[in-house]
């Protein structure tokens, strides 16, 4: 069947904001989500047969970089405000004809293709489609620090994107308005239409504030395990804390088994090779080195790889000595070396109940897990 151009849909994805509320220190559109960035993840959702053209709007300063991300798409520079950016995209499409235009915030990468299809279908049938969610909190009108009115929640909703419109109508609506508007449905509304709603998605969040970037989707976990023999004539150092005991751990470095497990956990959480690769025990520079120094170096590598460690949890398996009196100090010492708050580091101690080598007191083992967040995109050359 020959498809007429007027059945086609165009998608405009907006990525021209600065995203300064995210506190990332760089444009949130470039925040990494696995192999892709936020803007790539959002744009790729619109690569479906129903959509014949995608236009990406980027900030002038990011234009080259965004163009390189989408060699097959049209990338244009946005304006000063969101509304200006949409206006520019619609002007760019002036000579073209579509049935439906979708306008989407590039900071909503979790949108489903099911919602995109629903918006296209509804907009084609009803002239517009705005995904909305019910308001969960009580809604107040506030000014100068005081609540002035309580709004009726039943007649309010939160509007998401993508918002879909009959192409000719939204183009005319933008051509007839000047200034900045909350979203595209407001512009459409002002041109005399009632925008039609469709149910939105709770997962379709707009990444805005720092906590939006601390999501499970962005986390990775790392695990570490180590064991060292106990020998006479060695100090016992665990988690950077010297513990009075008649024997100590034997190894090439100071043999701090707890720190070694933590190092492997943080390195693994950042996708880096393990302690043996980073600090080989055949290298004389690591002979008797303090493992605290190794953990600090591992943390630099983690940061350089673009990760921030969120929390660490470790267990020491030792028959003796009793470690309970030193747990608080070990936590504080590890937290300082990792550069996170004490309450984000947990250390527990256990015996192995007369089973295995650690039970016979021949050695001490340690296990650790770390959770990290990717905070800087791969290949981003930042200091
Ligand atoms: Mg070791």
């Amino acid at each position: 069947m020959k498809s007429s151009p007027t059945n086609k849909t165009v998608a405009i994805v907006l990525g021209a904001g600065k995203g300064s509320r995210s506190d990332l220190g760089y444009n949130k559109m470039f925040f990494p989500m696995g192999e892709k960035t936020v803007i790539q993840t959002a744009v790729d959702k619109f690569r479906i047969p129903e959509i014949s053209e995608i236009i990406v709007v980027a900030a002038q300063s990011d234009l080259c970089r965004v163009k390189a991300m989408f060699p097959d798409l049209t990338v244009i520079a946005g304006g000063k405000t969101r509304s200006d950016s949409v206006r520019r995209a619609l002007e760019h499409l002036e000579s073209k004809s579509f049935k439906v235009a979708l306008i989407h915030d590039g900071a909503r990468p979790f949108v489903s293709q099911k919602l995109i299809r629903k918006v296209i279908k509804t907009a084609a049938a009803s002239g517009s489609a705005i995904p909305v969610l019910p308001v969960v909190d009580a809604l107040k009108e506030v000014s100068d620090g005081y609540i002035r009115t309580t709004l009726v929640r039943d007649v309010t909703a939160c509007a998401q994107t993508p918002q879909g419109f009959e192409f000719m109508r939204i183009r005319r609506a933008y051509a007839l308005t000047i200034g900045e508007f909350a979203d595209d449905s407001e512009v459409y509304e002002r041109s005399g239409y009632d925008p039609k709603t469709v149910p939105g998605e709770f997962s379709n969040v707009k990444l805005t504030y720092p906590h939006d970037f601390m999501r499970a989707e962005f986390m990775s976990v790392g695990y570490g395990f180590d064991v060292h023999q106990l020998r006479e004539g060695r100090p016992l150092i665990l988690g950077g804390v010297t513990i009075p005991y008649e024997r100590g751990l034997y190894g090439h470095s100071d043999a701090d088994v707890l720190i070694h497990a933590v190092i492997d956990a943080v390195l693994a959480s950042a996708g880096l090779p393990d302690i043996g690769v980073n600090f080989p025990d055949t290298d004389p520079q690591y002979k008797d080195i303090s493992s605290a120094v190794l953990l600090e170096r591992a943390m630099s590598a983690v940061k350089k790889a673009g990760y921030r460690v969120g929390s660490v949890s470790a267990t020491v398996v030792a028959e003796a000595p009793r470690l309970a009196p030193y747990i608080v100090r070990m936590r504080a010492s590890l937290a300082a070396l990792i550069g996170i708050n004490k309450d984000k580091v947990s250390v527990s101690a256990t015996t192995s109940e007369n089973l295995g080598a650690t039970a016979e007191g021949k050695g001490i083992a340690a296990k650790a897990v770390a959770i990290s967040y990717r905070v800087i995109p791969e290949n981003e050359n930042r200091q």
Side-chain angles (χ1 to χ4, degrees):
M1 199 180 79
K2 190 173 157 268
S3 78
S4 136
T6 49
N7 283 333
K8 296 285 189 183
T9 294
V10 61
I12 299 166
V13 182
L14 303 168
K18 284 199 280 292
S20 45
R21 285 176 292 179
S22 69
D23 257 355
L24 289 170
Y26 62 90
N27 190 337
K28 65 182 177 181
M29 293 296 163
F30 303 128
F31 185 82
M33 293 177 66
E35 302 290 297
K36 298 188 219 170
T37 58
V38 163
I39 184 84
Q40 284 171 308
T41 309
V43 167
D44 284 354
K45 294 282 176 72
F46 291 84
R47 295 185 190 268
I48 54 174
E50 294 90 324
I51 295 173
S52 58
E53 184 162 350
I54 300 173
I55 291 209
V56 182
V57 187
Q60 181 66 51
S61 53
D62 299 327
L63 201 57
C64 289
R65 187 165 174 197
V66 177
K67 275 185 173 167
M69 280 179 186
F70 305 107
D72 60 327
L73 302 179
T74 306
V75 179
I76 64 164
K80 277 204 180 68
T81 65
R82 187 187 185 284
S83 300
D84 282 345
S85 293
V86 177
R87 219 170 262 124
R88 283 193 187 198
L90 291 168
E91 280 163 14
H92 186 87
L93 295 165
E94 213 161 35
S95 61
K96 298 194 176 175
S97 172
F98 300 93
K99 172 73 176 167
V100 170
L102 300 180
I103 304 169
H104 186 64
D105 294 324
R108 293 186 189 267
F110 302 111
V111 62
S112 75
Q113 291 184 329
K114 190 178 161 198
L115 179 63
I116 293 171
R117 290 194 162 101
K118 172 85 184 153
V119 168
I120 294 173
K121 229 173 142 184
T122 309
S126 308
S128 59
I130 316 300
V132 294
L133 284 180
V135 178
V136 179
D137 302 317
L139 209 54
K140 311 286 179 179
E141 194 179 300
V142 176
S143 62
D144 300 326
Y146 287 89
I147 290 171
R148 307 298 176 180
T149 316
T150 295
L151 301 169
V152 181
R153 197 162 49 184
D154 296 358
V155 299
T156 57
C158 297
Q160 302 186 320
T161 72
Q163 300 188 351
F165 307 92
E166 212 170 90
F167 178 70
M168 294 307 287
R169 284 190 188 178
I170 193 70
R171 198 161 76 175
R172 200 178 318 122
Y174 264 100
L176 292 175
T177 52
I178 46 165
E180 170 68 355
F181 303 93
D183 65 354
D184 312 294
S185 71
E186 187 185 358
V187 176
Y188 187 75
E189 202 186 302
R190 280 168 186 256
S191 72
Y193 298 106
D194 283 337
K196 169 91 177 138
T197 64
V198 296
E201 293 171 335
F202 284 102
S203 53
N204 182 21
V205 293
K206 186 174 178 184
L207 298 172
T208 308
Y209 295 105
H211 69 260
D212 294 325
F213 295 88
M214 302 290 263
R215 299 169 59 90
E217 290 91 335
F218 305 144
M219 287 186 210
S220 52
V221 69
Y223 175 72
F225 173 76
D226 197 20
V227 58
H228 279 264
Q229 287 179 17
L230 278 166
R231 288 203 190 165
E232 273 169 24
R234 297 271 301 182
L236 176 61
I237 303 167
L238 288 173
V241 177
T242 304
I243 294 165
Y245 189 52
E246 70 251 25
R247 289 180 297 161
L249 294 170
Y250 175 76
H252 185 64
S253 64
D254 68 1
D256 187 328
V257 69
L258 173 56
I259 286 190
H260 292 184
V262 168
I263 288 175
D264 267 350
V266 295
L267 288 172
S269 72
L272 293 170
D274 69 15
I275 187 171
V277 174
N278 274 281
F279 314 110
D281 60 9
T282 47
D283 190 331
Q285 68 162 308
Y286 301 122
K287 175 91 186 103
D288 294 324
I289 194 172
S290 160
S291 297
V293 174
L294 298 183
L295 178 52
E296 278 173 336
R297 288 191 196 167
M299 287 312 300
S300 308
V302 166
K303 272 194 200 113
K304 219 173 140 199
Y307 286 82
R308 179 164 61 207
V309 173
S311 66
V312 168
S313 177
T315 300
V316 182
V317 187
E319 212 51 37
R322 221 174 82 76
L323 296 175
Y326 305 99
I327 295 281
V328 171
R329 279 170 62 196
M330 287 192 257
R331 284 179 66 187
S333 153
L334 287 171
L337 294 167
I338 298 164
I340 54 177
N341 213 303
K342 266 202 311 253
D343 62 1
K344 294 290 177 193
V345 177
S346 97
V347 175
S348 58
T350 183
T351 66
S352 44
E353 295 290 332
N354 300 325
L355 294 166
T358 49
E360 290 165 25
K362 286 183 181 167
I364 293 180
K367 306 165 190 210
V369 285
I371 282 179
S372 292
Y373 300 88
R374 172 136 219 166
V375 290
I376 298 171
E378 215 159 346
N379 306 325
E380 183 98 342
N381 204 8
R382 298 175 79 247
Q383 286 305 306

